[in-house]
Amino acid sequence: MANTTIYDVAGAAKVSLATVSRVMNNPEKVNPETRERVLRVIKELGYRPNAIARGLASRKSTTVGVVMADVSRASTSQLLGGIIDIAKKYDYAVKLFSMSEGEDIKETMRAVVAEQVDGILFLNDELDKEQMNMVMNYIKDAQIPVVLCNVIYEDDSVPSVSIDYEKATYEITKELLAAGKKNVYFVTTVRRYTINVHKGIGYRKAMTEAGLEPLIFRTSGDVTVNSLHFEEFLKNNKVDSIISVRDSIAVSFMNIAIRNGLSIPKDISVVGLQNTKYAILSRPTLTCVDTPVYDIGAVSMRLLTKYMQQQEVTESKVVLPYSIVKRESN
Amino acid sequence: MANTTIYDVAGAAKVSLATVSRVMNNPEKVNPETRERVLRVIKELGYRPNAIARGLASRKSTTVGVVMADVSRASTSQLLGGIIDIAKKYDYAVKLFSMSEGEDIKETMRAVVAEQVDGILFLNDELDKEQMNMVMNYIKDAQIPVVLCNVIYEDDSVPSVSIDYEKATYEITKELLAAGKKNVYFVTTVRRYTINVHKGIGYRKAMTEAGLEPLIFRTSGDVTVNSLHFEEFLKNNKVDSIISVRDSIAVSFMNIAIRNGLSIPKDISVVGLQNTKYAILSRPTLTCVDTPVYDIGAVSMRLLTKYMQQQEVTESKVVLPYSIVKRESN
DNA sequence: CTGAAAGCGCTTACAG
DNA sequence: CTGAAAGCGCTTACAG
């Protein structure tokens, strides 16, 4: 039972291997009786076609490549959750490729292509414009469908799924301003992730419209590092509210503020832009823009199946809705 | 440049495809001059062998299958981080398979085998004994090397990597008892994950040795659910310390306790058994057994490469060291 | 050291 | 509706 092949099935069902293959791929072209007989044998032997051989013969691997920067980031794993569920539903296998900082990006892309994936889900939002151009051109040359998954890239020809980060951040900034806040800081990462850049644009817009100077504070995603930053920050700046690109950074900020005798939200309002589990495990709980990360993953995967199967796509740039979850921090 | 094949390389280098293949797989068998010539052409054309074709011909896919329950769990993604890094180093591709609750386990295993992976990393610790037996037998029949990654299974013939959860929990329970605690509760999940069961064994042992009755409280991993549980729990029980199988649950507990006017650690000591980011983002910060999850993933993958390449393995059950990180919560 | 040839386990026109 | 045969892009004994 170790390795049943199509020949074994053909032999046991007394048909040719071509017929077995047809039963699996074009059942309607096979006489119902023969079909049933073959199906029975397949079941009996627990036969599953060798995916590699099938891939070579059909020139389709029914595998998608997921290219990401870092799995351990919460958003990455949430995206993966959505991707895997939908991939399973459509019978695609999922191969993972990481592009760590400092590694050869082109080499990784070459590996992805060599693995013969039928489509690519690109989740790495840590590349700069030039690198993105290179990667996208490479994929285009290889003629592999691609969907950007929670990554912003200014080229309308590349399909993508995300939310309108600019608008969401604009909106929540307006809310803080409407509540009478003046010194609204935008706390973002030192690293320039594409989506965080867009959050920043929305924030600036709201501030500028209100006749205020944008106030931006950059810090590390590493909690041990940003704690020290925040002590400094609070000492040197007048601040009545902050908007943080990451929930964990917002929570870290709240902890420092409270330790320094400040009260949240009385002295400072705090909002996050993700709505992860950190937001409900903090004290006070964190008001957030809710980014539907799992859905972004799921929808990307679904969109990619359409491209891989040459189905018609009406909307190549999907913008999912978001909501704002009001909690205790503002 | 879309799809360079071995024939293109052979043609351009004026050798047969067999020689090109040898340059890639057994370079020492090729005349250095020819080898250099071929390598130059490979580089020029940006050639990478079609992984699928190579897989079929060599009957090795250089792919490992990672079988897990749920990607979005923090520990899963951390394990994945270690796995991916090492897989990349050894030139293995990584394919993901999820086994969600209620799905057909055998069907998933059939899929894994059909995908022709060279080895399996099994991360799903949510199966019961019977299910594990079935899965392990299936893998054995298929003759695919497997390593259990942070999963406990009582069969010494199956290689695995984890820490000694029993001992770690025993130790930290002893520490609490040594500090004079009497009502030490073990807070675990309703679901019986294999590693949590082993944590429980260590806890019971310490309690029993101290002549105390084990006090076990089961709750949900879902914060909105366990918050309510904890209110009830605090009302009805005398408790001076808790040990939680998950950091997030410990943090949730602290929040509820503090909201109910209790002080941590003055009234209740709290410790976690993971050491995730939750432990440093809580107020107070959480004392933890530090489980080196990334390392468990990395070491599992390394171990698996040895099996896949028929290298000798001296230690099939790897038990990694852990440490205890003292913070503010006890 | 190198090439011709068989074969990996499938799919897919092509006949019949 | 079914089978024989070619072919997918490689690897690997086998000759030479």
Side-chain angles (χ1 to χ4, degrees), chain A residues 16 19 22 30-31 34 57:
Chain A
S16 75
T19 299
R22 272 187 219 104
V30 179
N31 180 309
T34 354

Side-chain angles (χ1 to χ4, degrees), chain A residues 175-190:
Chain A
E175 281 195 19
L176 289 172
L177 294 171
K181 303 294 176 185
K182 298 278 178 240
N183 302 299
V184 184
Y185 271 82
F186 181 71
V187 177
T188 185
T189 47
V190 174

Side-chain angles (χ1 to χ4, degrees), chain A residues 6-25:
Chain A
I6 197 169
Y7 296 96
D8 302 326
V9 177
K14 303 203 187 310
V15 292
S16 75
L17 76 166
T19 299
V20 178
S21 177
R22 272 187 219 104
V23 168
M24 311 210 69
N25 301 303

Side-chain angles (χ1 to χ4, degrees), chain A residues 80-95:
Chain A
L80 264 180
I83 292 166
I84 288 178
D85 288 352
I86 303 301
K88 195 165 191 175
K89 198 163 153 186
Y90 287 89
D91 262 318
Y92 279 90
V94 174
K95 256 184 188 168

